[in-house]
Amino acid sequence: MTEAILLVGGRGTRLRPLTVHTPKPMVPAAGVPFLTHQLARARAAGVEHIVLATSYLAEVFEPYFGDGSSLGLHLEYVTEEEPLGTGGAIRNVASRLHSGPDDPVLIFNGDILTGLDIRALVATHETTGADVSLHLTRVEDPRAFGLVPTDATGRVTAFLEKPQTPEEIVTDQINAGAYVFRRSVIDTIPAGRPVSVERETFPELLATGAHLQGMVDSTYWLDLGTPQAFVRGSADLVLGRAPSPAVPGRCGDRLILPTATVAPDAKLTGGTVIGEGARIGEGARIAGSTILAGAVVEPGAVITDSFVGVGARIGERTVLTGTVIGDGAVVGPDNELREGVRVWCDARIPGGALRFSSDQ
């Protein structure tokens, strides 16, 4: 297997305001666009040619990655004029593939951080003679996911979308968002219209007797669909809990990018990332958070499990916990923002305007 399709066309609406100016796969995680980690892991598994299926803010990808040669890859870009869904996006880029009809093609979603053994998935595909092989992972609460039960040999027996009752939860195995397709199977997906690979392609293949194989790989797996998950994923990359050859530095408690300025008594822990040109003031305490390029954290601020956008400013003594601050936003001094708060890009919050506790 030397070819792959990477699905990076989603609008990332659950991540807003992180995705107002930036497509989801280009939001920085551990100091580089998240997509960099996926490309690097694919290359490490032997992939040489990757077609990126783009849509939302498609113009951002190619200026950054170019032809992929800096990563040892050959990259191509195909832009959807109208969103086509996962299956439609795969079919839309099929003409760019060079593989023969029976060759394996790796396909993966642009918002999953995983330690999947890609070579093992391909080996499973080839040894079982499957038409499609799926990476499956086990989760404690599968109600938010599509269930994929398998028989004793790992062959997929059904696709069950988001069960709601205990009786419907027949397995804890879910579709983890990475697949190996026999090249000829891609051409059976209808062209020119939206198609969901999860709701349409896979069930129809199963109904026609195709061989769909599941491989359970329970290494690190995280859907980066929410700001809280994205912050956690970035921290886990820095801490070394999630594997990636693309982290620009040694794993540890913090990652400080070149040209960032951090006061000597500031405390950075929990996989915190400080972006290029960012400034961290005296006595600031930052844990498990991402501070993007050019942002300013003023003295005495306390930031935990939060995301601070490009060029944003956090005032003195302000406390952020589980919050997202959009690009260019300003949060004045002595504010307290707690779990789930999202401050939009370029918003202004005056000093002492918001609190979740007494000011004493």
Side-chain angles (χ1 to χ4, degrees), residues 12-24:
T13 52
R14 290 184 298 158
L15 279 176
R16 287 167 71 86
L18 302 183
T19 52
V20 169
H21 301 134
T22 308
K24 178 167 52 176

Side-chain angles (χ1 to χ4, degrees), residues 318-336:
T318 280
V319 176
L320 307 179
T321 305
T323 63
V324 177
I325 311 299
D327 296 343
V330 176
V331 181
D334 299 306
N335 281 291
E336 180 189 10

